[in-house]
Amino acid sequence: KILVNAGPTYEMLDPVRFIGNFSSGKMGVAIAEVLSENGAEVHLVLGPNSVKPSVKKIQIYEVMSASNMQEECVALFPKMEAAILTAAVADYQPVHKSDTKIKKQQESFLLELVKTLDTLTSLSAMKKKGQVLAGFALETNNEIENAKTKLVSKGLDFIVLNSLADRDAGFGKDTNKITIIDPDGKTLVFETKPKKAVAAD
């Protein structure tokens, strides 16, 4: 039984606008598919996107916001043997959400944000002996250093690094280039591949 999360989260400003990111969910969906094809019972918590698994037996939980993502993952994790968190979850959400569409009036508009709950940290605190917890790090600079810091701070069993500096890697692409890092600092560097092949790695 393996939990995977994937895709972006949308943090609503009003009924028609949100803060989001460019994640397509393709990498996480590919991982869910490969896990299922290899015999796992996969539970996929999926943020808003148009990419859905082709493997029908994957159980999908569709969510919108970081808080929705957090709630579903926290509820599922105790029953899982592993979790691989690939989702690009928002770090901040608006303090106030308008019930009606915000009208364009003043020249400038100040938006106050507050930190969202961190799903990886929450699951790490819950993790029992024998459970495996892995995360992803998408970086734009100091990639290895930042990934190693996240690996330690979140108490992960391994972390998968991909960089926006790498050609054919990152949001929306059908290919990716990853480096897997374990708690001892050992790194496995892979070539650019289709995301389904990356998922198998």
Side-chain angles (χ1 to χ4, degrees), residues 17-191:
R17 300 184 183 94
F18 61 86
I19 298 173
N21 59 62
F22 295 114
S23 174
S24 65
K26 289 179 180 179
M27 189 69 252
V29 168
I31 286 172
E33 289 177 339
V34 169
L35 287 168
S36 182
E37 288 163 0
N38 280 276
E41 178 187 307
V42 181
H43 298 257
L44 176 63
V45 181
L46 189 58
N49 73 338
S50 59
V51 179
K52 299 293 185 284
S54 59
V55 181
K56 300 301 180 189
K57 60 184 177 179
I58 293 171
Q59 296 188 49
I60 301 173
Y61 309 77
E62 295 192 66
V63 298
M64 179 70 71
S65 68
S67 61
N68 300 150
M69 182 81 74
Q70 156 92 5
E71 287 167 12
E72 287 287 5
C73 289
V74 165
L76 287 165
F77 189 54
K79 308 164 201 167
M80 301 292 119
E81 290 163 282
I84 303 176
L85 302 193
T86 78
V89 182
D91 293 321
Y92 292 90
Q93 63 187 8
V95 172
H96 303 290
K97 176 193 165 188
S98 176
D99 292 329
T100 57
K101 181 182 175 182
I102 299 167
K103 295 294 186 182
K104 182 169 63 175
Q105 294 174 334
Q106 61 267 47
E107 287 299 314
S108 61
F109 180 75
L110 188 63
L111 185 63
E112 186 180 1
L113 303 174
V114 63
K115 272 188 178 180
T116 57
L117 293 171
D118 189 289
T119 303
L120 267 177
T121 301
S122 299
L123 299 196
S124 180
M126 298 167 59
K127 192 171 87 158
K128 297 172 185 172
K129 187 176 180 180
Q131 283 183 309
V132 174
L133 180 61
F136 268 61
L138 177 66
E139 301 292 344
T140 58
N141 63 296
N142 300 326
E143 288 94 342
I144 295 288
E145 180 184 333
N146 287 339
K148 285 182 176 179
T149 298
K150 184 175 182 179
L151 170 72
V152 173
S153 67
K154 311 288 188 187
L156 305 179
D157 293 291
F158 66 91
I159 195 162
V160 182
L161 165 66
N162 51 101
S163 170
L164 284 181
D166 288 324
R167 192 176 173 183
D168 297 323
F171 290 146
K173 305 280 179 62
D174 291 322
T175 56
N176 204 359
K177 184 178 188 303
I178 64 164
T179 299
I180 298 177
I181 307 170
D182 73 13
D184 297 324
K186 180 182 174 185
T187 60
L188 292 170
V189 182
F190 297 86
E191 295 303 313

